[in-house]
Amino acid sequence: MSVAAAPRLAASAGTASIAARLPRLAVLGVIALVVVGAPFLTDPVDSTRFSEAIAFAVIGLSLNVLLGYVGSISLGHAAFVGVGSFASAYMVSQQGQPFVVGVVVAALIGGAQAGLLGILSLRVTGLYFALITLAYGAMAQDTLFGIDSLTGGGAGQEAPNPFGPSAFRAYYFLSLAVLGLVLYVDWSLMRSKAGRALLALRENPRVAASLGIDVKAFTLLGFVISGTFAGIGGALFAHNVGQANSQVYSFNLTLIFVIMTVVGGLRNRAGVVVGSALFALITYVIEKVPGLAGRFENADSTIPVIALLVFGGILVNEAVGGRLGQRPRLAVQILCAIMVLLALAIIAPGTVPLAETQLRELPALTPEIGRLVLGPVLLLVVLTRLPGGIGQLITPFSRWIGGHDFEWSSGKVEEVQVNDVRA
Amino acid sequence: MKLDRTTITRVLAALAGLLGGAALFATDRQSTIVTGISASVPYCLVALGIALVFKATGVFNFAQGEFGTVAIFALYLARFWFPWVGYVGAMLFAVLVAVGFGLLVERAIIRPLSEAPRVTLLVATAGIALLSIATQIWLGEAQARNVEKALSRENRFNVLGINVSDQRVLGIIVMIIVVVALAAFFNRTSLGLAVLASSQEPTATELCGISVKRVSALVWGLSGLLGGLAGVLAGPTGTFTPGQLTSVGLVPGFTAAVLGGITSLPGAFLGGILISFIQALGTTTGSSIKGGPAFFTFLLLAGVLLVRPQGLLGGKR
Amino acid sequence: MSVLESIDLCIRFGGLQAATDVSIKVGELEIVGVIGPNGAGKTTTFNMITGFYTPTSGRVLFKGRDITELAVHERAALGMGRTFQNVGLVKGSTVRENLLTAQHLEVGYGVLSGMVGSPVSRAEERRLKERADAVLELMDLTHLASSKVQGLPYGDLKRVEIATVLATDPDIVLLDEPSSGMGPEESQELGDRLLRLRREMGLSILMIEHHVPLVTRVCDYVYCLSFGQLLAEGDPVAVRDNPVVVEAYLGVAAREQAEKEAREADAARAGVGA
């Protein structure tokens, strides 16, 4: 998903010669080919998964504006998105408006709602504001989305595909275009005075004020932009699924949004896009890779797979922490030992005297749950070890494509910085 | 937070105001008042855990609800796997599991992030909560379960015409003991003072010979204990699903803690009772609004934070 | 007409009276110093003048206009710039980006125009970049233009901060301990630079300082604060030697010593004259 790489090209054209640019262009071409060609290399239905990934990417970008640029935390982002979904669904299915109008209304209402919360954030700061967004999200799901006339009640509100019920591929390209637009506006914003003002007020509001920046006004602007993007993402999401249903916009979903944005890497557009798409596509990938899904369905294999994952995770952790080759810590050794024992108990019954029957009864780790489990684990790894998230890993590549030399540490981030202000 | 005359007066005044208000405005007065008090156990305990962790470490613990859910599951499993320890043994096991969870979280996540901004820690605890819920769904599927109560008699106590089950009364008694014990701990024991000291001035505290690491572990273990008690006492009163205490108790718990003044333990207790009332009110009076409790809670939280951010009993932090 | 004037500023924090009747005046193209021991209320006064604190009583005038009610960013818009004790910069950005941010008020296009990337905004961005580079050259910082602020050595940070403030095109800059962390050579350079800035950019300067040689060399007028009150004011050397000021810094014994030396100096002069 390197649509995001394109803006970076112009932002920092490096010093490579024409000859050196050829391999870079080739790589860029391959990525573009994959992104554009994916729908044609797979079943038409699969394109709905890709479209969902794009919707997630837009949502991730919207949360990135709030979390990464403004520095305000929202624990009710599912509500921002849901508002957009329902607004668009309502406009199209109940008011008979074309899709474009639906998206525009979703954007406007999303922005307005976010603006209201933004006004609240001016009075209530930091962690307390996080609480308010949490309560708001809970309230929205129960009360706002419970207004049956607007939201269709339990059955949800219909949100039809503008190209027709089965035009999955067409919808994918539409989503791609919308993502491109959102990326452009985001990129343009951050290069302009508003973007600089946001970055300044996030990091150091006192200094920002002394430089003439109206902190309150720009904070509100950031909220409105975030809500607008979220509304658009919500519309894309709903019309892809075919309906907007209040069950979907839960606290769990908000957590997934926050996690995918932080894991993607704050203030790193490419990272956020890739991270969000990844979260949306994990289940798809597991299903498609031959043999992998089978491993999850069969409980016999679940434990060894988990053991492998944990092993791998520990190895990565140790490597990133620079401890590979040294003697592992006691806790690590114990953990590894337990994992090995469990795996043996399943694979080779009899070697380890354990009550196998109960272990065998463990339910399968379905891809859905896999995502729910993997998400927080990735989050915790990022928070403790890889503050720049996926973006930190992508930046060396995108800078290389842009003409600079390849440098592993160019994406390095000191810590996951949201906001300096304490509650 | 001293348990002195002013505090006690304020607490009693607030409670009186609450009862009066409920009596005047509630549609189903008896139900609102009785439910408000008897259902307050999980809210109070969750709020206490939140206030404790915040007071001692400045962290908003989003996994507080999960400490409770893990305890409910542990209780359920204990009754299933080894019924021979008896119910009390099972409760003990469940609470110990919750304490263990708290200690694990402290060691594995909180300590490495001790220098990070508080918001990062909030996100981390949220991640832990999600991981816990996901694991429960994985291992137990998203179905509702029931675990038997400690005391099953339902009609021994009758207040204002409404039956209050033995289980709920047990919960209230234990809760009051816990609150008094906590107050005594913080006000009178040197260990309690050490906890307060290390929250305000970790470096100086270390220099005095108090291990900040141990204090941190103690605080999170206590928080696990409170969460575990919430799960064990309140869980059996109804069915439970994965993430039970988070979906039911986290937002109200936080609201309660903030209401009471997030650094005040008696405040959290008071806030818990208040929130319980609001929830009861939402169910009875606000029944015409979908999701009445959530709506009222949101209004209350926004209102309090706008008008009096330090809550009822909180001082400046 | 004075550029900046504070009239009887007072502020209380709970039970602590942090400033009482602080009246300071900075005339056009003047460099005025504010000295005093730690905790005297110097930064508090700065905060009141720039709008970060609201005084309990008193007024602040800027070019004759009462700005006591204005917000921080509004005062900045009028032409007041300031530096901070712990270096006020956007550490996550580069030096040049900081200077671009500082030109916020100078920007000739609207927010929406910037968001769509209109040709007007692009042209304006180029102009702002040129202005930023000009200021960087003035401060000998061109070689650091693309460096991230985070990680720069302390001395460079302070120069970048001054450059950032200059980029806001102020009429007066309030410097909070500009020479802190500097050795004697760097202080000398700083003094030269301040004098040059006043000359070339028509700047007035109000500065909190501890470094006495810098103050006596550069300032036209000095105020001494202690415990939130004005202790003395006037010519830098006179204030420096004022026994009351000496006592505030060094205690009673030092004051008596200073008075003794002053008497002996007078006697010697009288003796010589006779």
Side-chain angles (χ1 to χ4, degrees):
Chain A
M1 303 284 167
S2 85
V3 181
R8 275 185 177 264
L9 254 175
S12 53
T15 51
S17 64
I18 304 283
R21 282 188 190 273
L22 280 176
R24 293 165 156 96
L25 281 173
V27 169
L28 197 60
V30 167
I31 296 175
L33 216 65
V34 167
V35 168
V36 170
F40 300 108
L41 299 171
T42 54
D43 286 336
V45 181
D46 290 353
S47 290
T48 53
R49 314 293 287 272
F50 303 148
S51 299
E52 184 180 78
I54 302 281
F56 265 51
V58 172
I59 295 172
L61 285 172
S62 80
L63 192 50
N64 178 47
V65 170
L66 202 58
L67 217 50
Y69 299 157
V70 176
S72 204
I73 181 151
S74 170
L75 293 170
H77 211 67
F80 284 28
V81 173
V83 159
S85 295
F86 280 111
S88 179
Y90 178 76
M91 287 314 299
V92 173
S93 63
Q94 299 287 32
Q95 299 287 344
Q97 299 288 337
F99 179 71
V100 174
V101 173
V103 172
V104 167
V105 169
L108 287 173
I109 296 193
Q113 164 220 217
L116 286 174
L117 272 168
I119 294 177
L120 214 61
S121 88
L122 294 177
R123 282 293 305 262
V124 181
T125 55
L127 299 180
Y128 294 110
F129 180 68
L131 281 183
I132 290 206
T133 58
L134 178 68
Y136 173 71
M139 192 260 301
Q141 193 187 17
D142 283 348
T143 312
L144 282 185
F145 299 161
I147 304 176
D148 287 345
S149 52
L150 290 177
T151 62
Q157 188 76 269
E158 205 194 316
N161 186 330
F163 298 112
S166 316
F168 303 132
R169 287 182 177 141
Y171 194 76
Y172 170 73
F173 287 108
L174 174 68
S175 307
L176 216 54
V178 173
L179 175 66
L181 187 68
V182 168
L183 275 171
Y184 175 73
V185 172
D186 189 305
W187 174 71
S188 212
L189 171 76
M190 293 321 286
R191 295 189 89 215
S192 74
K193 82 172 188 187
R196 288 191 294 263
L198 285 176
L199 288 179
L201 72 87
R202 178 196 66 86
E203 198 192 293
N204 206 330
R206 292 178 27 160
V207 168
S210 74
L211 293 177
I213 294 172
D214 187 346
V215 173
K216 290 189 179 168
F218 277 92
T219 303
L220 271 178
L221 178 71
F223 266 87
V224 169
I225 294 177
S226 171
T228 308
F229 286 178
I232 294 175
L236 277 181
F237 181 76
H239 289 271
N240 182 44
V241 172
Q243 66 154 240
N245 192 312
S246 64
Q247 295 278 38
V248 172
Y249 306 100
S250 59
F251 181 53
N252 280 357
L253 189 64
T254 294
L255 280 182
I256 289 180
F257 288 157
V258 171
I259 289 175
M260 78 189 188
T261 309
V262 173
V263 168
L266 289 181
R267 292 180 287 284
N268 189 316
R269 275 180 293 269
V272 168
V273 167
V274 170
S276 311
L278 206 81
F279 263 79
L281 288 176
I282 281 182
T283 53
Y284 177 73
V285 166
I286 292 178
E287 284 167 21
K288 287 297 171 176
V289 171
L292 201 56
R295 301 229 143 255
F296 283 101
E297 295 302 325
N298 182 358
D300 265 359
S301 317
T302 301
I303 291 286
V305 170
I306 302 268
L308 226 79
L309 283 174
V310 173
F311 247 129
I314 294 175
L315 272 175
V316 168
N317 201 338
E318 296 296 290
V320 173
R323 276 190 297 273
L324 212 56
Q326 298 172 15
R327 195 149 162 266
R329 292 164 292 179
L330 186 63
V332 171
Q333 292 181 46
I334 295 178
L335 209 62
C336 290
I338 295 179
M339 284 289 127
V340 168
L341 282 175
L342 278 175
L344 273 178
I346 298 281
I347 302 175
T351 50
V352 179
L354 272 178
E356 305 149 5
T357 39
Q358 253 146 9
L359 284 176
R360 280 227 148 78
E361 268 161 29
L362 270 177
L365 185 69
T366 64
E368 259 310 309
I369 301 179
R371 166 161 74 185
L372 272 181
V373 170
L374 198 62
V377 169
L378 279 177
L379 173 75
L380 296 170
V381 166
V382 163
L383 287 180
T384 49
R385 288 266 177 243
L386 196 72
I390 294 179
Q392 185 169 347
L393 301 172
I394 291 184
T395 304
F397 291 99
S398 62
R399 281 178 65 82
W400 175 75
I401 292 182
H404 296 99
D405 292 330
F406 188 86
E407 219 187 286
W408 241 147
S409 64
S410 57
K412 196 165 195 315
V413 169
E414 285 305 317
E415 61 171 2
V416 179
Q417 240 211 42
V418 178
N419 193 315
D420 266 354
V421 176
R422 307 217 159 174
Chain B
M1 190 71 225
K2 301 245 171 283
L3 205 63
D4 57 4
R5 203 160 288 166
T6 349
T7 317
I8 299 182
T9 327
R10 283 202 204 156
V11 169
L12 289 174
L15 281 173
L18 205 54
L19 284 170
L24 283 171
F25 295 112
T27 39
D28 185 353
R29 287 183 206 144
Q30 293 96 310
S31 174
T32 311
I33 295 177
V34 175
T35 319
I37 301 219
S38 63
S40 63
V41 170
Y43 303 121
C44 286
L45 287 174
V46 169
L48 271 172
I50 291 171
L52 173 66
V53 171
F54 185 77
K55 189 182 178 67
T57 67
V59 176
F60 271 17
N61 180 17
F62 265 74
Q64 186 65 36
E66 281 312 294
F67 290 170
T69 320
V70 162
I72 303 180
F73 271 95
L75 180 66
Y76 176 81
L77 287 172
R79 296 298 290 153
F80 189 63
W81 283 344
F82 29 89
W84 33 268
V85 294
Y87 196 90
V88 176
M91 285 206 312
L92 224 78
F93 171 71
V95 171
L96 279 174
V97 167
V99 170
F101 189 21
L103 290 172
L104 179 67
V105 165
E106 193 271 333
R107 183 65 192 84
I109 308 295
I110 306 297
R111 216 181 289 175
L113 289 176
S114 56
E115 300 292 309
R118 302 295 98 172
V119 180
T120 307
L121 278 157
L122 187 158
V123 176
T125 55
I128 293 167
L130 189 60
L131 185 59
S132 168
I133 298 177
T135 312
Q136 289 158 25
I137 298 180
W138 169 42
L139 292 176
E141 279 151 61
Q143 54 171 265
R145 290 186 171 81
N146 231 307
V147 64
E148 80 246 40
K149 305 185 169 105
L151 307 166
S152 46
R153 209 154 139 212
E154 302 266 330
N155 53 14
R156 196 201 314 248
F157 299 96
N158 191 302
V159 182
L160 293 181
I162 312 252
N163 275 331
V164 180
S165 67
D166 275 12
Q167 179 78 14
R168 288 202 195 262
V169 173
L170 173 69
I172 293 176
I173 295 176
V174 171
M175 175 176 74
I176 294 182
I177 296 176
V178 163
V179 169
V180 170
L182 271 178
F185 174 71
F186 276 107
N187 288 333
R188 296 182 204 283
T189 67
S190 43
L191 191 54
L193 284 175
V195 171
L196 292 178
S198 94
S199 80
Q200 286 165 24
E201 213 13 281
T203 320
T205 313
E206 280 276 2
L207 289 174
C208 287
I210 300 170
S211 162
V212 173
K213 280 189 201 158
R214 292 239 179 107
V215 167
S216 179
L218 174 70
V219 167
W220 282 84
L222 261 178
S223 164
L225 174 68
L226 288 168
L229 281 173
V232 155
L233 290 169
T237 59
T239 59
F240 67 94
T241 56
Q244 177 71 15
L245 235 52
T246 297
S247 31
V248 163
L250 195 66
V251 172
F254 263 104
T255 312
V258 166
L259 252 184
I262 191 130
T263 51
S264 160
L265 294 177
F269 172 64
L270 176 65
I273 300 189
L274 250 153
I275 279 293
S276 186
F277 263 89
I278 300 289
Q279 301 269 310
L281 213 68
T283 330
T284 54
T285 318
S287 57
S288 52
I289 305 174
K290 257 229 192 115
F295 185 62
F296 279 24
T297 308
F298 171 68
L299 285 181
L300 184 66
L301 182 65
V304 168
L305 285 178
L306 280 173
V307 169
R308 197 188 152 88
Q310 68 265 46
L312 290 169
L313 298 179
K316 301 220 161 79
R317 212 215 176 217
Chain C
M1 181 178 61
S2 66
V3 171
L4 179 68
E5 199 174 330
S6 84
I7 302 177
D8 291 339
L9 286 178
C10 299
I11 192 167
R12 291 184 76 89
F13 294 115
L16 175 67
Q17 184 80 21
T20 317
D21 292 338
V22 176
S23 301
I24 286 180
K25 199 189 315 200
V26 181
E28 260 191 74
L29 295 180
E30 271 191 350
I31 299 183
V32 173
V34 176
I35 64 172
N38 281 327
K42 309 188 292 293
T43 303
T44 307
T45 306
F46 261 33
N47 284 338
M48 284 192 284
I49 292 176
T50 49
F52 285 100
Y53 291 165
T54 311
T56 35
S57 69
R59 295 185 301 148
V60 181
L61 301 178
F62 186 73
K63 294 196 211 164
R65 177 181 158 183
D66 192 332
I67 61 166
T68 323
E69 302 293 309
L70 291 187
V72 174
H73 67 276
E74 290 169 324
R75 300 186 199 203
L78 289 177
M80 201 190 291
R82 82 167 278 185
T83 64
F84 294 85
Q85 254 178 333
N86 40 5
V87 186
L89 290 170
V90 182
K91 298 212 165 68
S93 302
T94 66
V95 169
R96 185 183 280 122
E97 280 166 5
N98 267 273
L99 266 80
L100 288 174
T101 311
Q103 295 179 72
H104 182 88
L105 294 160
E106 185 53 37
V107 172
Y109 61 81
V111 167
L112 220 54
S113 175
M115 264 168 58
V116 270
S118 69
V120 168
S121 68
R122 286 188 210 265
E124 185 71 356
E125 285 289 314
R126 275 193 293 271
R127 184 181 76 90
L128 293 172
K129 183 167 173 294
E130 282 162 22
R131 281 185 90 234
D133 287 338
V135 175
L136 286 174
E137 214 185 297
L138 189 67
M139 294 290 297
D140 299 317
L141 286 168
T142 318
H143 60 290
L144 289 175
S146 307
S147 314
K148 263 219 159 78
V149 168
Q150 179 97 38
L152 286 180
Y154 189 69
D156 287 345
L157 279 180
K158 302 226 72 151
R159 284 220 318 271
V160 170
E161 198 190 9
I162 294 181
T164 309
V165 172
L166 289 178
T168 67
D169 201 12
D171 294 314
I172 181 169
V173 285
L174 279 70
L175 303 173
D176 200 335
E177 298 193 30
S179 82
S180 79
M182 287 186 185
E185 251 179 52
E186 282 180 299
S187 290
Q188 180 86 355
E189 268 175 45
L190 175 68
D192 292 335
R193 184 163 282 129
L194 290 178
L195 291 169
R196 203 179 68 195
L197 285 174
R198 171 186 44 192
R199 221 175 31 240
E200 293 177 11
M201 300 194 66
L203 227 46
S204 312
I205 300 177
L206 177 66
M207 62 186 214
I208 295 176
E209 250 312 325
H210 278 301
H211 195 80
V212 177
L214 177 65
V215 170
T216 44
R217 194 180 134 221
V218 152
C219 293
D220 304 314
Y221 202 82
V222 164
Y223 294 88
C224 178
L225 282 176
S226 178
F227 289 112
Q229 290 181 295
L230 280 172
L231 214 54
E233 60 179 274
D235 172 75
V237 175
V239 170
R240 180 195 69 189
D241 294 337
N242 188 325
V244 183
V245 173
V246 172
E247 177 183 345
Y249 272 101
L250 300 172
V252 175
R255 169 172 71 87
E256 289 172 354
Q257 177 73 9
E259 283 174 339
K260 179 165 157 239
E261 284 171 4
R263 276 195 302 273
E264 286 169 1
D266 286 340
R269 244 177 277 136
V272 165

